Amino acid sequence: MVRLIVDSARGSYPVIIGTGVHRELRNVIRRLDPSSAVIVADSNVRSLAQKVAKAVKPTGVRPSIYVVRAGERSKSMSALHDVLAFFERRNIDRAGVVIAVGGGTVGDLAGFAASVWLRGIRLVSVPTTLLAMVDSSIGGKTGINGTRSKNAIGTFWPPSAVVADMACLETLPATSYRDAFAEVVKYGVAMDRGIFELLQEQREQLLEGDSRALERVVFRCVTAKALVVARDERERGPRAILNYGHTAGHALEAATGFRVSHGRAVAFGMRVAARIALSLELCGPRLVQAQDELLTEYGLPDRSPAADPSRVLAAIEHDKKARRGRVAWVMPRRLGHAEPGHAVPAGVVRRMVRKALA
Ligand SMILES: NC(=O)c1ccc[n+]([C@@H]2O[C@H](COP(=O)([O-])OP(=O)(O)OC[C@H]3O[C@@H](n4cnc5c(N)ncnc54)[C@H](O)[C@@H]3O)[C@@H](O)[C@H]2O)c1
Ligand SMILES: [Zn+2]
């Protein structure tokens, strides 16, 4: 078990990473000493929510459980309304606490609800997907989707604590588990070569879900994200490095109506970004090759997703309009180091996207 502290504008919070860490969760709740607690979970993690409720029982806090339907559609205004109505029925007051048990979907929804209920009550995050552990539970972004755009409505609301228990991952569907490694590779290429090497050295253990190996990887990713978030919580500069692989990745998701999973899309986006960097002589061929190999080893193969290149390019253009005419690409320079804010000639983008989808 390890514990690290993440700094944020609203104060720092502990992140506990371990396996079977019920006692630590209990201590977190004891320390927060809430008047009451609500667990927000989704229908696929109901039993994990019950386990969390049981784990905190000895503190005297008896959390009620609110279950939303699993899936991205629950990041909606109507789901938010229902969660808040539940808080109201349960008389959650300013000293209450929301415990989000689930992946990024539940985390974003429950975090947003916590941030607006009574102008903000405390939030404890219990991520149950690998993606939520290494990414969405850290950094304080919450939100729901607009009618047409993802994550359009949201707040910055850092949690009071995050408890990442590897035991939660045991029931995670294989695809969701594997696809999340795209984000882990992202940290390895863009920020921390040590993560890249850990992924190479511990591939078997990690793919089997070995909890020790997972703890190490989650710890390294949380540390990488925590460092950049502490410097730039509101994403005005350096935080953009976390978008490595996401420019073409998001465009692929949008162009395929989100049929391609986020992890697969990010893997595609990293392959495109690295090739752009190579053609602009910002990195060498060894980086491109090493990244390709690692992605393939983690079940994120170089198979072209069935997508119309013009649509993907149009989605990148759309992104450009949103940013006043400039897409800022994150370009890898060497393993473990990328730079945000690169302008790339449109012709190069077109060529690389078309090639990647050929
Ligand atoms: N706030 C942020 O900084 C941030 C960062 C990245 C992503 N996100 C958001 O996170 C969301 C994606 O998160 P995700 O990949 O965790 O998806 P998710 O929360 O939708 O979970 C994926 C699926 O796995 C199920 N599930 C979750 N935990 C499980 C478990 N332990 N056992 C069995 N099933 C389980 C869920 O019910 C769901 O069906 C997106 O909405 C994205 O916008 C937010
Ligand atoms: Zn992502």
Side-chain angles (χ1 to χ4, degrees):
M1 201 270 293
V2 285
R3 167 198 293 263
L4 58 103
I5 304 292
V6 178
D7 288 326
S8 90
R10 287 186 51 248
S12 51
Y13 54 93
V15 180
I16 293 152
I17 299 161
T19 307
V21 284
H22 296 301
R23 193 157 41 115
E24 284 70 20
L25 178 62
R26 188 148 60 234
N27 289 339
V28 161
I29 298 298
R30 201 169 269 138
R31 201 170 34 78
L32 294 176
D33 190 23
S35 55
S36 58
V38 187
I39 294 173
V40 180
D42 77 24
S43 41
N44 289 333
V45 292
R46 212 182 274 269
S47 67
L48 289 173
Q50 278 153 0
K51 279 190 190 147
V52 167
K54 208 165 140 201
V56 305
K57 211 166 149 192
T59 64
V61 178
R62 303 267 169 123
S64 39
I65 301 180
Y66 185 77
V67 176
V68 301
R69 203 178 317 152
E72 183 74 21
R73 282 184 146 195
S74 285
K75 273 175 58 173
S76 67
M77 205 57 109
S78 77
L80 173 71
H81 172 271
D82 294 348
V83 174
L84 294 174
F86 185 80
F87 292 179
E88 193 163 34
R89 282 202 299 283
R90 294 294 157 134
N91 297 316
I92 305 300
D93 64 21
R94 284 202 172 80
V97 67
V98 174
I99 308 175
V101 178
T105 303
V106 165
D108 280 6
L109 171 70
F112 188 39
S115 74
V116 294
W117 178 246
L118 303 178
R119 299 199 177 80
I121 64 170
R122 292 169 297 175
L123 169 72
V124 171
S125 185
V126 180
T128 67
T129 65
L130 184 57
L131 180 117
M133 288 182 186
V134 301
D135 192 356
S136 61
S137 66
I138 308 299
K141 281 192 191 176
T142 82
I144 57 174
N145 299 323
T147 40
R148 289 190 333 186
S149 40
K150 214 170 130 63
N151 298 328
I153 308 157
T155 55
F156 279 98
W157 194 249
S160 297
V162 179
V163 181
D165 188 340
M166 302 308 126
C168 291
L169 299 176
E170 279 164 19
T171 53
L172 194 62
T175 49
S176 166
Y177 180 70
R178 195 197 50 210
D179 290 358
F181 277 102
E183 300 282 1
V184 182
V185 173
K186 175 191 84 177
Y187 287 113
V189 175
M191 297 178 71
D192 178 357
R193 194 193 173 115
I195 294 177
F196 198 92
E197 286 162 357
L198 209 53
L199 285 170
Q200 287 175 319
E201 286 155 18
Q202 309 248 302
R203 177 169 57 102
E204 253 170 61
Q205 293 91 321
L206 287 166
L207 285 173
E208 275 170 13
D210 176 83
S211 51
R212 278 286 166 79
L214 273 167
E215 284 178 32
R216 287 178 68 191
V217 150
V218 171
F219 172 73
R220 295 290 290 245
C221 293
V222 171
T223 306
K225 182 157 183 182
L227 283 172
V228 66
V229 166
R231 280 167 60 207
D232 177 26
E233 196 166 21
R234 293 195 168 243
E235 202 168 343
R236 298 207 168 97
R239 189 170 176 161
I241 199 170
L242 297 169
N243 286 335
Y244 175 53
H246 283 61
T247 306
H250 280 153
L252 179 67
E253 284 182 293
T256 57
F258 293 89
R259 269 184 296 107
V260 177
S261 80
H262 183 67
R264 299 215 142 222
V266 170
F268 165 82
M270 289 191 289
R271 288 182 197 268
V272 169
R275 280 165 175 74
I276 290 175
L278 178 63
S279 83
L280 299 177
E281 294 179 5
L282 292 166
C283 75
R286 288 235 303 277
L287 181 145
V288 182
Q289 195 189 343
Q291 176 182 273
D292 276 354
E293 281 170 13
L294 195 63
L295 288 170
T296 304
E297 282 177 5
Y298 278 83
L300 297 154
D302 195 10
R303 223 178 314 114
S304 314
D308 178 351
S310 338
R311 281 197 173 196
V312 177
L313 289 164
I316 293 175
E317 275 301 306
H318 185 263
D319 192 44
K320 186 169 161 181
K321 277 191 207 119
R323 292 171 208 215
R324 297 206 197 131
R326 205 168 158 258
V327 183
W329 288 79
V330 184
M331 294 279 97
R333 301 301 307 264
R334 53 180 191 274
L335 273 188
H337 180 72
E339 280 167 6
H342 278 268
V344 177
V348 177
V349 175
R350 257 197 312 272
R351 192 149 44 87
M352 293 307 160
V353 168
R354 288 195 184 279
K355 221 168 158 184
L357 290 169

